[in-house]
Amino acid sequence: METAEIARRFLSFFEKNGHTVVPSASLIAEDPTLLLVPAGMVPFKPFFLGQRTPPYDTATSVQKCIRTKDIEEVGKTSRHATFFQMLGNFSFGDYFKEKAIPLAWELVTTPVEDGGFGIDPDKLWVTVYLEDDEAERIWREVVGVRPERIQRMGMEENYWSMGVPGPCGPCSEIFYDRGPEYGAEGGPQADENRYIEIWNLVFMQYERGEGGDKTGFPIIGELPKRNIDTGMGLERLASVLQGVDNIYETDIIGRVLRRAAELTGTRYGDDSDQDVMLRVVADHVRSAVMLVADGVKPGNEKAGYVLRRILRRSIRNLRLLSGSDTAFLHELTAVSIDAMKDIYPDLLDKADVIHGVIDTEEKNFAETLRAGTALFGRVAERTRAEGGSVFSGSEAFQLHDTYGFPIDLTLEMAAEQGLSVDESAFRELMQKQRETAKADARAKKLGNADISLYAQLLEGAGATDFLGYSDSRSESRIKGIVVDGAASPAAREGERVEIVLDSTPFYAESGGQLADTGTLSVDGRGLVDVEDVQKPLPGLFVHRGTVRSGEIALEDTVHASIDTDRRHAIERSHSATHLIHSALRNALGPTAGQAGSENRPGHLRFDFTADNALGGERLAEVEEEVNTVLARDIEVQTQERGLEEALRMGAMAMFGEKYGDRVRVVEMSDYSVELCGGTHVPSTARLGIVKLLGESSIGSGVRRVEAAVGADAFRRLSRESALVGQLSEQLKTPREELPERIDAMVSRLRTAEKEIERLRAAQVLQAAGSIAEGARRHGSALVVAQAAPEGTSGDDLRKLVLDVRGRLGEDEPVVVAMTAVPKDRPVVVIAVNKAGQKAGVKAGELVGVAARVLGGGGGGKPDIAQGGGSDAGKVDEALRAVEARVASA
């Protein structure tokens, strides 16, 4: 039975049994405590916690999941996978054990021809929690499972909680017996390799307290409502129903694995290490496809880092398997999309963008590998030359920060060369880099309040009614006040405050559009300056600001008023973003998808996927097209439609955005049709003018254009015109001839700089003869140890040292050690001739001696090495240390 058919049957069975079929949520978790969705119940977590009221009593879903905790185990076992799908059925205070258990057994054992999975009941075993007599009785008396096939297990195996105070309850699991060739008899208690879990039923009926993690916590009491949360791994069930040994050999993942073997000229099953690499590739490519489809882009933080890490692991494994640097991911991505399309048809619509993102990352990583591997090799060589075995944390951080090397790749490469990595120093540097960004993001998005407080406000006050599409003012009622991170009945003058209203004209920051600002006033009693509006939870508008005067209290009626001039300026920027998006797609094709934006008064930035820079000429064409379209005075129409209807009419959905069943469509004739929840101008002529300010790269395969809009664009053009006028006057050159005149001036300047550099280098090298004459004997070697002439660059220092060494010949050991201080940082270069090397003197070791005195490091080969430090005052001391080491050799 194919995987897609398994998913279809599961949903169909529970739909027939009264469950609402809920589409999979995005892999990007809405829960701010999670990065990605790791389990099928996560989208329903607010319902289980009582934070939100579910719109249905029972539900069923096939949920996309990503787990990276055990990424190093992927491919090594038959069970671990990064991306997987969880089949689940859920009850929110409706049915409980008495219905959940028989439903599970019915679906698993019903013959295939009758719509079930057709598993032989004699192949199944059941586990229950030690003290769960009720579940054991239902399995035995209602379902008819033989008592010897029911085993009781402890909290570690058969009790569920989230690891923190909250809902919990016993579990019951169904296991499939794979047969005696896989292990010992005796059920799950005897061998979980032979008996594999296929379905877990969680009976959520208690509340747990503090203490312990998986065991040892106190049970406080019963929940007000008893819930059902079940999960069955689709891939694991597929391996059972398809009669294969592991999930990597099932129809979907197996297709990617087999194609990877063909492309790399290997065979699956011939070599265990090779098999692990092929399984890693198959898992990671599919995971990458699904992450990109949900809007994740490769990066160095959060979900972007997860994507970058698995893509780069795939690329490196493919190179090791094939022994070449051939690009394979495009072909494997196509295979994965085709294999998954029956379950997720939207992958076909997103195929161009998915290919664009993954192809670009593969191309960029090829360049990263070349540059980063060279740096890694230099550091590794220097580490060994200095007698060390630990790759420094600062160098690992540089590889990550500058070259995009994931730390796990550095760890793998270091291990291959017999080195360890100072991970603690690396983590400390990473943490320092993140602290400021995290603090800023948390302050902006969530203020100081815990997310659970917002959930309580949403549950108590309900969703905020947004009036801002038509109104700039409203009379609203205060439903929640937060001061210093805690709910408060009132707020007084001078206090920073967060306010929830029952309705609001204020737009909350989203979709790239900045929030409105304005005021909330209570007649004769209080005034609040609103500085920002955020939506920490869907439907909840939180107005953040300061009480300017008086006080406000819960249930007060307030006059809410936005700054309309600011709103209109933002609207002009937002509408311009839509036009720029369409113009870019016309210029670059459909792969130029939106990757982020910001719309603020008079200015916008728009991020899009592209392999290469637009170039000045094409950028000018995009700007001209946008201004031509806006001058046509096109009416901007907005209307609400069903999501499927909107997509059929050609509306562009923003990649990675989450949409409900009803969406808002913004149309500018047929030139631009997009799904968008933001606010816009009534017609394009209101934009006035759009001036593109430039284009730049902001990451792998992602570029950014910035633009000024309206009066800001006019002021920008006015300033530029004045500047050009000044240049024209100063250079006595007509405006239209300025580019040629400036190019000629720059060319002459560069030629002069090169000539000055050549003369300076020649002057430095002229000193080689006199420097060589100053050689002194230390032990059996002739040694030159002195500072280079003032102004010597690092490159010239190396040439000078080699020249001096050459003048001293090969008849006896020669060591030349010289220092320079370019840009206020000391550099030391040491060269040893062949006779010196035969005598056991190595440049790499000597440069380590000097560099340590200078407060730095260095390394190189036995014949020449270079190092440096931070203490220029110890140059003479460093040279004397080299002389002493040579004398003692």
Side-chain angles (χ1 to χ4, degrees):
M1 188 181 298
E2 292 186 347
T3 301
E5 175 60 16
I6 297 171
R8 189 199 64 77
R9 286 185 179 228
F10 184 89
L11 296 177
S12 177
F13 174 83
F14 281 101
E15 186 176 28
K16 290 175 183 176
N17 280 277
H19 293 64
T20 298
V21 176
V22 179
S24 174
S26 169
L27 285 167
I28 305 170
E30 286 190 359
D31 185 339
T33 66
L34 296 171
L35 182 63
L36 297 163
V37 171
M41 63 80 65
V42 167
F44 304 104
K45 182 178 169 184
F47 305 152
F48 289 131
L49 293 175
Q51 295 173 341
R52 293 165 62 184
T53 302
Y56 29 67
D57 294 328
T58 60
T60 184
S61 69
V62 180
Q63 175 61 43
K64 300 177 288 188
C65 303
I66 288 276
R67 285 185 191 167
T68 58
K69 179 181 178 183
D70 300 318
I71 194 168
E72 300 299 335
E73 299 305 311
V74 170
K76 298 177 183 178
T77 73
S78 63
R79 302 177 187 180
H80 289 95
T82 312
F83 172 83
F84 60 97
Q85 299 159 94
M86 191 61 71
L87 307 169
N89 60 286
F90 309 92
S91 167
F92 310 106
D94 188 74
Y95 64 82
F96 203 51
K97 298 177 188 178
E98 72 289 340
K99 185 174 180 181
I101 292 173
L103 281 175
W105 188 262
E106 179 184 348
L107 176 57
V108 168
T109 60
T110 294
V112 171
E113 56 270 22
D114 295 329
F117 294 137
I119 297 179
D120 183 353
D122 289 337
K123 289 277 190 181
L124 300 176
W125 289 66
V126 171
T127 63
V128 297
Y129 176 54
L130 280 173
E131 301 174 6
D132 195 351
D133 296 334
E134 181 184 9
E136 192 273 344
R137 179 190 61 78
I138 295 172
W139 280 116
R140 183 169 40 81
E141 296 181 4
V142 178
V143 175
V145 176
R146 299 198 305 273
E148 63 272 19
R149 289 292 181 93
I150 305 172
Q151 296 183 335
R152 294 187 184 236
M153 292 190 175
M155 291 189 79
E156 184 75 25
E157 298 85 7
N158 276 65
Y159 208 94
W160 174 88
S161 83
M162 289 186 291
V164 295
C168 65
C171 305
S172 183
E173 298 175 328
I174 303 175
F175 287 79
Y176 176 79
D177 180 3
R178 299 201 292 168
E181 64 270 28
Y182 290 95
E185 293 188 17
Q189 289 179 337
D191 192 331
E192 286 198 12
N193 182 55
R194 170 175 172 173
Y195 302 89
I196 63 168
E197 173 209 330
I198 60 171
W199 203 337
N200 183 18
L201 296 90
V202 176
F203 309 127
M204 206 180 296
Q205 62 187 114
Y206 301 111
E207 182 178 359
R208 61 157 285 183
E210 294 277 4
D213 184 9
K214 296 194 72 173
T215 63
F217 47 79
I219 304 299
I220 297 174
E222 292 261 354
L223 291 175
K225 291 183 178 180
R226 301 188 301 178
N227 306 310
I228 289 292
D229 160 26
T230 81
M232 179 158 58
L234 177 55
E235 286 79 7
R236 189 178 295 185
L237 181 61
S239 69
V240 169
L241 297 181
Q242 293 172 17
V244 295
D245 278 348
N246 57 65
I247 62 173
Y248 301 102
E249 297 171 16
T250 56
D251 56 333
I252 289 179
I253 309 178
R255 281 184 60 185
V256 185
L257 185 149
R258 289 188 294 274
R259 186 59 180 144
E262 292 171 3
L263 291 171
T264 57
T266 56
R267 284 183 51 180
Y268 182 69
D270 285 353
D271 178 274
S272 58
D273 290 338
Q274 191 171 272
D275 289 352
V276 169
M277 286 191 282
L278 286 169
R279 289 197 287 262
V280 167
V281 169
D283 169 86
H284 285 8
V285 170
R286 188 174 75 133
S287 303
V289 165
M290 301 308 295
L291 282 167
V292 176
D294 275 355
V296 179
K297 300 292 190 302
N300 290 334
E301 292 289 338
K302 300 183 179 179
Y305 177 72
V306 172
L307 175 59
R308 172 159 286 168
R309 183 182 180 192
I310 62 177
L311 279 173
R312 294 187 169 188
R313 288 189 92 215
S314 302
I315 295 165
R316 192 156 189 269
N317 278 321
L318 286 165
R319 289 183 172 217
L320 291 172
L321 286 165
S322 66
S324 74
D325 57 3
T326 305
F328 295 119
L329 284 189
H330 186 88
E331 172 70 14
L332 294 177
T333 298
V335 173
S336 187
I337 290 172
D338 189 62
M340 295 288 287
K341 71 179 187 301
D342 289 339
I343 303 179
Y344 304 102
D346 63 310
L347 291 178
L348 294 176
D349 297 329
K350 299 174 179 177
D352 286 344
V353 177
I354 295 171
H355 277 300
V357 171
I358 293 178
D359 290 352
T360 298
E361 181 66 10
E362 183 169 30
K363 174 185 173 184
N364 290 341
F365 189 45
E367 298 170 2
T368 292
L369 275 176
R370 281 193 292 273
T373 301
L375 173 61
F376 176 89
R378 290 195 298 271
V379 176
E381 184 178 358
R382 185 180 72 221
T383 301
R384 287 194 299 270
E386 295 173 357
S389 61
V390 180
F391 195 95
S392 81
S394 61
E395 302 283 9
F397 178 75
Q398 184 183 355
L399 278 169
H400 167 84
D401 198 45
T402 305
Y403 296 98
F405 261 46
I407 183 61
D408 65 298
L409 178 56
T410 303
L411 290 168
E412 288 178 14
M413 292 173 66
E416 290 168 2
Q417 298 207 24
L419 300 172
S420 61
V421 178
D422 187 350
E423 281 192 79
S424 61
F426 170 83
R427 304 290 177 195
E428 184 177 342
L429 289 168
M430 285 293 296
Q431 184 61 29
K432 286 180 180 177
Q433 187 187 60
R434 290 170 177 157
E435 279 173 358
T436 301
K438 281 187 175 181
D440 289 347
R442 179 169 179 79
K444 182 171 180 59
K445 300 298 181 184
L446 298 180
N448 298 312
D450 185 83
I451 191 67
S452 62
L453 175 57
Y454 294 123
Q456 293 170 15
L457 288 172
L458 181 61
E459 183 69 17
T464 308
D465 185 14
F466 177 59
L467 311 173
Y469 291 134
S470 57
D471 299 325
S472 59
R473 299 172 181 271
S474 73
E475 284 198 0
S476 306
R477 191 174 296 277
I478 296 178
K479 307 302 291 185
I481 298 175
V482 177
V483 178
D484 293 331
S488 175
R492 294 169 181 80
E493 184 174 331
E495 288 185 322
R496 296 285 298 168
V497 66
E498 297 180 341
I499 300 170
V500 176
L501 305 176
D502 61 349
S503 62
T504 183
F506 284 82
Y507 185 83
E509 180 181 346
S510 63
Q513 179 172 332
L514 295 191
D516 286 327
T517 60
T519 59
L520 304 176
S521 61
V522 179
D523 286 339
R525 202 156 58 83
L527 179 65
V528 177
D529 291 323
V530 177
E531 300 153 9
D532 187 27
V533 187
Q534 296 292 329
K535 285 195 289 187
L537 291 173
L540 184 72
F541 286 59
V542 176
H543 306 71
R544 301 179 58 210
T546 304
V547 182
R548 190 200 304 177
S549 61
E551 67 173 8
I552 57 167
L554 287 173
E555 299 301 327
D556 276 350
T557 296
V558 298
H559 301 285
S561 177
I562 69 171
D563 180 339
T564 53
D565 288 342
R566 184 175 185 276
R567 160 73 81 82
H568 293 330
I570 292 175
E571 288 175 341
R572 287 192 288 272
S573 294
H574 199 162
S575 297
T577 299
H578 284 223
L579 295 175
I580 290 172
H581 188 191
S582 290
L584 285 169
R585 288 172 67 90
N586 290 341
L588 303 177
T591 57
Q594 181 171 342
S597 65
E598 182 183 81
N599 306 298
R600 52 189 172 90
H603 189 277
L604 68 87
R605 62 170 174 77
F606 182 80
D607 303 337
F608 60 100
T609 52
D611 292 343
N612 302 302
L614 280 172
E617 185 176 342
R618 185 174 284 182
L619 195 65
E621 290 173 357
V622 169
E623 180 180 88
E624 182 177 357
E625 180 175 320
V626 168
N627 283 286
T628 299
V629 171
L630 69 85
R632 288 162 46 193
D633 194 16
I634 299 171
E635 181 183 2
V636 179
Q637 296 182 324
T638 59
Q639 54 187 313
E640 192 174 278
R641 294 180 181 270
L643 177 59
E644 294 302 321
E645 179 190 2
L647 295 176
R648 282 196 301 272
M649 66 181 283
M652 277 193 293
M654 293 302 97
F655 213 51
E657 286 289 324
K658 301 169 186 177
Y659 297 101
D661 293 334
R662 302 291 295 176
V663 293
R664 192 163 178 268
V665 181
V666 177
E667 296 180 73
M668 300 178 191
S669 182
D670 58 355
Y671 183 76
S672 171
V673 183
E674 293 192 17
L675 306 185
C676 179
T679 62
H680 289 271
V681 296
S683 70
T684 59
R686 296 289 185 93
L687 273 60
I689 189 172
V690 174
K691 174 60 182 173
L692 297 186
L693 305 179
E695 180 220 6
S696 60
S697 171
I698 61 167
S700 299
V702 181
R703 305 197 65 81
R704 170 175 293 172
V705 292
E706 297 192 54
V709 184
D712 286 75
F714 175 79
R715 284 190 287 269
R716 179 76 178 227
L717 289 170
S718 179
R719 287 195 301 269
E720 289 181 357
S721 179
L723 177 61
V724 171
Q726 291 173 10
L727 286 172
S728 176
E729 184 176 344
Q730 289 175 0
L731 298 177
K732 307 301 182 186
T733 303
R735 288 177 178 238
E736 62 273 12
E737 296 177 13
L738 279 175
E740 292 82 2
R741 176 68 187 276
I742 293 173
D743 281 346
M745 291 175 63
V746 170
S747 179
R748 288 197 299 272
L749 179 61
R750 287 174 178 167
T751 300
E753 288 174 342
K754 288 179 181 178
E755 180 62 17
I756 292 170
E757 177 65 20
R758 186 188 66 78
L759 292 172
R760 189 190 56 76
Q763 186 177 17
V764 168
L765 292 176
Q766 282 176 0
S770 60
I771 291 172
E773 292 174 0
R776 293 182 296 172
R777 188 168 299 281
H778 289 273
S780 62
L782 278 177
V783 178
V784 171
Q786 70 175 69
E790 188 175 348
T792 301
S793 69
D795 288 342
D796 288 344
L797 178 64
R798 191 179 184 92
K799 294 174 185 176
L800 179 60
V801 168
L802 290 173
D803 193 339
V804 172
R805 184 185 68 177
R807 292 172 185 267
L808 293 173
E810 290 288 346
D811 295 336
E812 58 183 326
V814 169
V815 176
V816 180
M818 299 190 71
T819 60
V821 189
K823 299 180 181 178
D824 298 325
R825 292 188 65 86
V827 176
V828 59
V829 176
I830 299 178
V832 180
N833 68 358
K834 291 181 180 178
Q837 295 170 52
K838 288 179 181 179
V841 181
K842 295 181 173 58
E845 293 178 1
L846 292 177
V847 90
V849 172
R852 281 192 287 275
V853 174
L854 296 171
K861 299 178 180 179
D863 63 329
I864 187 164
Q866 180 171 326
S870 57
D871 192 345
K874 292 188 175 181
V875 165
D876 289 339
E877 184 182 339
L879 292 171
R880 301 295 80 81
V882 172
E883 290 177 329
R885 175 61 65 88
V886 174
S888 65

